[in-house]
C-alpha cells in the first residue's frame, strides 16, 4: 500500500531518511511497521530539489525493490537537499511494476506522492481522464490512481502556485474522489494520504472516506535533524509537539523513522502545510 | 522504428528465427539492414502458441536490448511452436522503454505487432481512446500507437474471428488512421506494417499513406524451414515466388533473415493472409 | 535464505508449482512460512527440461522479485515439463542481486540449487576457487557460495554421470565444506540443502553442521499431481509416506505447497534420490 | 569496446558531458564516431565527486543502454561536480551485462575506467587473480578485465596516493599486461586506454601493444567549459593546444564531444596527468 517520507528544512544528505534510520524508508520497503502489509517491494522513487541548478527536482525511480538497489544507496550518501521526497511502492490492482508507476511523480516544479488507493479505481479512471485538459491528459504516462490524481491536481491548480492554491487544489482532488464515490455508489473507502510540493511549500493530507481509518501519518519538527547509530533525531524546540509551529526542519512520514518520542500522529481528516518560512499548520480537510 | 518476424508452419524451435540466422531478429536489434535506422535496442518481445496447453500464447517481453538478453537466448533454444512472433523495438516519440510498450501485444487469443508509426500520434491518441468501449479502454496499458491500434482492432472484431473478420478489422484500423490524418490535416504519412493472428490464421499489411514508401516487408514459403550455419532456408516448392500459394511453412519478416533468393518483397499497399490450411493470399488493402 | 522446489514425474505445466498453489514458490517469495525470514525477493530462477529438444534445460532467471514478474507468470502457464526446478532468492552477505547470482545454476545438462549458506564464505571462497580445474573456474560467473559449490560438484563428478556418482559428488561437496569449517575453526554452521539433477535423476540433501537445525525440506509423492483452487494435490498411492518408494510423480520442496497431509518432512542429515524409474530413496549423508 | 569521458575543473552539471553535446557520451552509446563499432549499449556508469560530503564518489550504474535511461538524464541535469567520469559499455567476450561489469569502478576514493581489452583475457585472468592480496581479491565482483586491472592498480598503489604513485601504478599494470602477453605468447594486442583518479588528480593512458593503433583518445582544455545548442566549448587559453599546460578545466574523452577545433589527439603510448593545481602533463608510457 506504499509508504512515503518528505523532509523540508536544513539541508541533509538523503541517507538521513533513506538508509541510516532503523526504520528508514528502505527498511519500510521490506518491514514496514504500520503499513497495511510489511512489504513495499514494487519499486521506489526519490525526488529532491537543488534550487541553485533547477526549479525542477532531481528524480530517481526504479522497479527494483528499494532494499537491494545499490544506486539508491550510493546516491543517497552524496546528495544533499533541503527538500526531499521518497516513496516505496506496493502495487495495487493490476498495475505494472514500471518506472512510470513509481512515485514520486514530477510535473514541472511540482512533486506528488500518494499512500492509499482510490476506491474502485478501475471503474473511476475513464471518467476522470475525460475531464482532463489536453496538456494534463498527456502527462499521464502510467496506470496508477496516484498519477491521475496528480494530473487532476495540476489541472485544479492551473497557473496558480503557493500554499493557498496548492492546499485548495489538493482538497478539490479529495472532494472529487469523494463525489465520484458517492455518485457511483462505491462502498469501499478512498484512502488519500497525499503529499505535494512546489519546491518551496508543502501540503500533505491524511484522509479516508466516512469513518474508515486512514493510512498512518506522522510528523516531527526541530531546529535540524540528524541520524546517529540508526536513531533519527530532531533537535526539538520543546513546544512543537503540542502546537505545530515554526521550526527549521520538518519531516512528514507514513510511519516514524525511529522510536524517539518526537513523532506526532496526524489526526484523521487533517491537512498539514509547511510555509516557505518554516511554519507548520494543521487544519481539517474541508470536503 | 522496429523490426518484426512472424512464422507459421511446421513446428520449429524459436532460435530458428531469433538467434541462428545471420540476419536474425536479434541481429536486426543492433544491425538492421533495411530499417529506418540500424538500431532497435529499446526492448523486445516474443509470443508463441502452444495449442495443447492454451488458446492464449506464451509471452516474453523485456526492456533489455534483444542482443544482450540471456533469457531470450535460452528460451529460444528449447521452445518449439508452429506459430511464433518476435519483435525488436526502437522507441518513437516520448514513449518509455517499458514492458507495457514492448510488442507483441496479447489480448485473449490474439497477438499483434506493428512496424511504423501513426502520424502525429500525440495529437491523435485522445480522440481514438474516447471511441473505445470500456473493456478495450482498460486493455491499453502502455503509451504506444501500436497498442492502441490493437485495441481498435479488437473493438472492430467484436465477437467475430477468422480470417475474413480479422482482415476486415485490420483494414478498418488502417482506414481509421487515414481518415483521422485527413480530418486533422496531418502531412506526415502513417506507416502501418501490421501483423495479427488468432493462433490459427494470420493477417499482415505493408502500408504507408499517399505515395510514401512503406517500411520494408518480405515473405518466404516452403515445405518447412531450417537454419544451418547462419543460413535460413525454406525447402522451396518451386512455384511459390511467382504465385503465393499453399505451403507448409511461411515466414513474414521486416527484412530477409538470409541472403538466399527465397524472399519475396511484399508490394506497397498489400495485405497478406495465411489461412488455417496454409494458403497464402495477397491482395490490395482497400482504404 | 532462499526457498526452492523441484518436480519430477508426469509432465505438468510449470504454474502447478509456481503460481497456482496457495503456498506456491511465488507465494514463498513474499510470504514464506518456514524460511528464516518471510521474504525471498532478490531474484528468482526457473529451469525445466524439454528432452525432445535438448539435453540442456531451459533457464529463465530474473533480478525482479518473483511476485511481480509477468514473464514468469506467462511462461509458467504454457510451459510443460516432467522435470522442473524453481528457486526464489534472499541474497546473503554482500552479494549482488544479479542474474549470475540467481539459482538455479546450469552447467551442460546439470542443474543445481541451494538453500542455506556456507559458513564464513567470505573467508572460504578463495581457497576453494584455487582448487578448481580451469574449466570449472571459468564457469563461476557470480559471487555466491551456491554457484561455487556447483563448480566443485561438477569437478567431483568429472566425466561420470548417474545417480551413484551424483550422490557421491554431492556428499563430497558437503564433506569439503565441513572439512574447511573445521580447518578454519569456523563456529557458524554450514546450511546445505542442495538439489541437483542431470535431467533424469535427482539428488537432494537436508544438512546442517553439528547439531544445528537444517533449513526445512519436504517431499510428496503420487501417481501424478494437480492443483485445484489453490490446493496442490498428489494422487497418493497410499504407502509412500511410510516407505519412500516408486511413484509417478515426486515433489521436493523447501516447504509444503499446500496444507494437505501429503507432505513428509525430510529428516536432518538425509539424502534423497529419485531414480530414472521413479524410485525415491532416503539415506543418511555420509560425512 | 566502450567509450569514456572524464572532466576535471570548474564545477559543471553532468549533462554538459552526457546529454547536451552533439556527440555526448550518450550519443556515443548508439552512434560512436571513432569507436571500433558505433554501438555501446551494454550498460553505462557515472561517477562524480562531491568533496563536501564524502571522499568517495557518487556512483550510478545501470544495465540499460545509456540512451534510454531516464534516471541518467534527470540526474545529469541537477548534479554538479568538478570531477566527473562517465562510461558507456560494449560488452566483450562472454561477460554479462550486469551492474558489476559496468564502469566506472569505485574503490575507496579511487575511480577507474577502461576502453579496450586485455588480449586473451580468458587465459590471463586466473593467473592475475592469484597474485592479488586478499582484500583486492574480494573487491573483484564482476567478470571484466577492466575491474581486475583496477584491483591490480590498487594493489600496486598500496597505501600510497598522489599523482606520482598513481602514475607509477598505472604503468605497472600496463607492464604486467605486456609481460603476461609475452610470456603466454599471445599475438593479439592489449588495448589499454585507462583513466583513474583519486578525487583530486587524474592519470590517463592511450596504449596498444606493439605497433597496433590504440583506441582513440583526446583532450581539451580551457578556463572553463559550457555547452550551447549542442556545441561543447572550452574557453580556450590560446596556448594549450601546442603545449599542454595549466588550465581551469580539462576534458579527456575517447572522442571529441563536438566539432570545434579545441580537441587534441593524445599520441599513442602517452600518459596524461592532471595535477591538483590544474597542470596537464603528457609523457611517454615507460614499459
Amino acid at each position: 500500500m506504499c509508504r512515503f517520507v518528505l523532509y523540508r528544512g536544513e539541508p541533509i544528505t538523503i541517507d538521513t531518511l533513506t538508509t541510516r534510520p532503523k526504520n528508514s524508508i528502505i527498511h519500510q520497503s521490506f518491514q514496514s511497521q504500520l503499513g497495511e502489509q510489511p512489504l513495499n517491494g514494487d519499486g521506489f522513487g526519490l525526488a529532491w530539489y537543488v534550487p541553485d541548478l533547477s526549479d525542477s527536482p532531481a528524480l530517481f525511480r526504479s522497479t527494483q525493490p528499494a532494499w537491494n538497489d545499490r544506486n539508491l544507496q550510493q546516491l543517497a550518501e552524496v546528495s544533499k537537499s533541503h527538500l526531499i521526497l521518497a516513496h516505496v511502492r506496493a502495487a495495487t490492482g493490476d498495475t505494472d511494476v514500471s518506472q512510470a508507476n513509481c512515485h514520486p511523480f514530477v510535473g514541472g516544479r511540482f512533486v506528488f506522492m500518494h499512500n492509499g488507493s482510490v476506491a474502485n479505481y478501475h471503474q473511476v479512471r475513464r471518467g476522470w481522464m475525460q475531464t482532463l485538459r489536453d496538456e494534463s491528459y498527456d502527462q499521464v504516462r502510467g496506470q496508477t490512481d496516484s498519477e491521475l490524481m496528480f494530473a487532476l491536481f495540476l489541472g485544479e491548480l492551473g497557473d496558480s502556485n503557493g500554499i493557498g492554491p496548492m492546499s485548495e487544489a489538493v482538497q478539490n482532488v479529495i472532494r472529487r474522489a469523494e463525489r465520484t464515490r458517492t455518485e457511483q455508489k462505491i462502498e469501499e473507502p478512498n484512502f488519500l494520504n497525499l503529499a505535494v510540493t512546489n519546491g518551496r511549500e508543502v501540503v500533505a493530507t491524511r484522509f479516508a472516506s466516512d469513518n474508515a481509518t486512514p493510512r498512518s501519518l506522522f510528523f516531527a519538527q526541530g531546529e535540524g535533524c540528524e541520524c546517529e547509530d540508526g536513531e533519527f533525531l530532531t533537535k526539538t524546540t520543546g513546544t512543537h509537539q503540542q502546537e505545530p509551529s515554526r521550526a527549521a526542519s520538518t519531516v512528514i512520514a507514513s510511519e516514524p523513522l525511529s522510536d524517539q518520542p518526537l513523532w506526532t500522529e496526524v489526526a484523521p481528516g487533517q491537512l498539514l502545510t509547511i510555509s516557505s518560512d518554516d511554519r507548520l499548520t494543521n487544519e481539517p480537510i474541508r470536503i
Side-chain angles (χ1 to χ4, degrees), chain A:
Chain A
M1 290 298 161
C2 312
R3 301 273 81 185
F4 66 59
V5 62
L6 178 153
Y7 173 85
R8 185 183 180 289
E10 293 298 306
I12 56 172
T13 53
I14 293 175
D15 61 359
T16 313
L17 303 172
T18 56
T19 327
R20 289 162 54 205
K22 277 184 189 167
N23 193 33
S24 71
I25 193 78
I26 287 185
H27 189 261
Q28 295 173 40
S29 73
F30 63 90
Q31 209 164 70
S32 158
Q33 309 293 310
L34 302 177
E36 292 302 290
Q37 52 180 17
L39 186 56
N40 296 281
D42 298 324
F44 69 89
L46 201 61
W48 67 100
Y49 287 86
V50 187
D52 290 349
L53 296 177
S54 174
D55 287 338
S56 296
L59 179 63
F60 176 59
R61 300 191 292 183
S62 166
T63 58
Q64 283 296 120
W67 70 77
N68 72 31
D69 192 288
R70 288 186 192 273
N71 286 321
L72 174 57
Q73 287 178 8
Q74 290 153 343
L75 285 171
E77 283 173 27
V78 292
S79 300
K80 196 170 188 171
S81 174
H82 74 292
L83 183 45
I84 302 166
L85 302 93
H87 186 280
V88 291
R89 182 168 181 248
T92 52
D94 186 34
T95 55
D96 292 340
V97 175
S98 65
Q99 278 192 30
N101 285 349
C102 287
H103 309 222
F105 302 100
V106 170
R109 64 177 64 210
F110 295 91
V111 178
F112 183 93
M113 14 184 224
H114 172 213
N115 163 212
S117 52
V118 171
N120 269 26
Y121 177 59
H122 179 77
Q123 169 184 336
V124 166
R125 181 179 171 226
R126 188 168 187 172
W128 284 7
M129 286 294 288
Q130 279 165 351
T131 69
L132 293 175
R133 282 177 301 185
D134 284 348
E135 60 272 29
S136 301
Y137 189 93
D138 290 340
Q139 278 163 350
V140 179
R141 303 181 70 86
Q143 304 151 346
T144 61
D145 50 1
S146 314
E147 189 191 21
L148 179 45
M149 284 192 288
F150 183 37
L152 293 173
F153 165 84
L154 291 175
E156 294 285 346
L157 199 62
D159 294 330
S160 306
N161 197 345
I163 203 160
M166 289 204 299
S167 171
E168 196 53 44
V170 163
Q171 292 181 82
N172 281 339
V173 170
I174 294 177
R175 280 175 210 131
R176 163 90 68 110
E178 286 297 282
R179 201 169 58 236
T180 301
R181 185 172 162 272
T182 304
E183 287 168 4
Q184 300 195 8
K185 298 188 171 55
I186 297 170
E187 293 196 7
E188 188 194 335
N190 292 314
F191 293 98
L192 303 175
N193 285 18
L194 308 176
V196 65
T197 178
N198 57 6
R200 277 184 303 131
E201 294 130 342
V202 172
V203 175
T205 62
R206 183 175 183 221
F207 179 82
S209 304
D210 300 340
N211 295 318
T213 304
R215 304 298 176 229
S216 59
L217 193 68
F218 292 80
F219 71 88
Q221 282 187 287
E223 288 168 11
C225 75
E226 58 190 357
C227 189
E228 282 180 12
D229 297 331
E231 296 301 340
F232 180 86
L233 297 163
T234 53
K235 298 165 198 158
T236 54
T237 52
T239 60
H240 74 276
Q241 289 185 26
Q242 282 64 43
E243 38 167 352
S245 65
R246 190 166 169 185
S249 290
T250 307
V251 194
I252 299 173
S254 296
E255 52 192 76
L257 305 185
S258 65
D259 298 331
Q260 267 72 26
L262 48 89
W263 297 93
T264 304
E265 188 170 16
V266 178
Q270 292 288 305
L271 179 144
L272 298 182
T273 67
I274 311 174
S275 69
S276 59
D277 62 345
D278 302 316
R279 215 166 278 275
L280 183 74
T281 70
N282 194 348
E283 56 186 285
I285 298 166
R286 299 183 313 277
I287 309 180

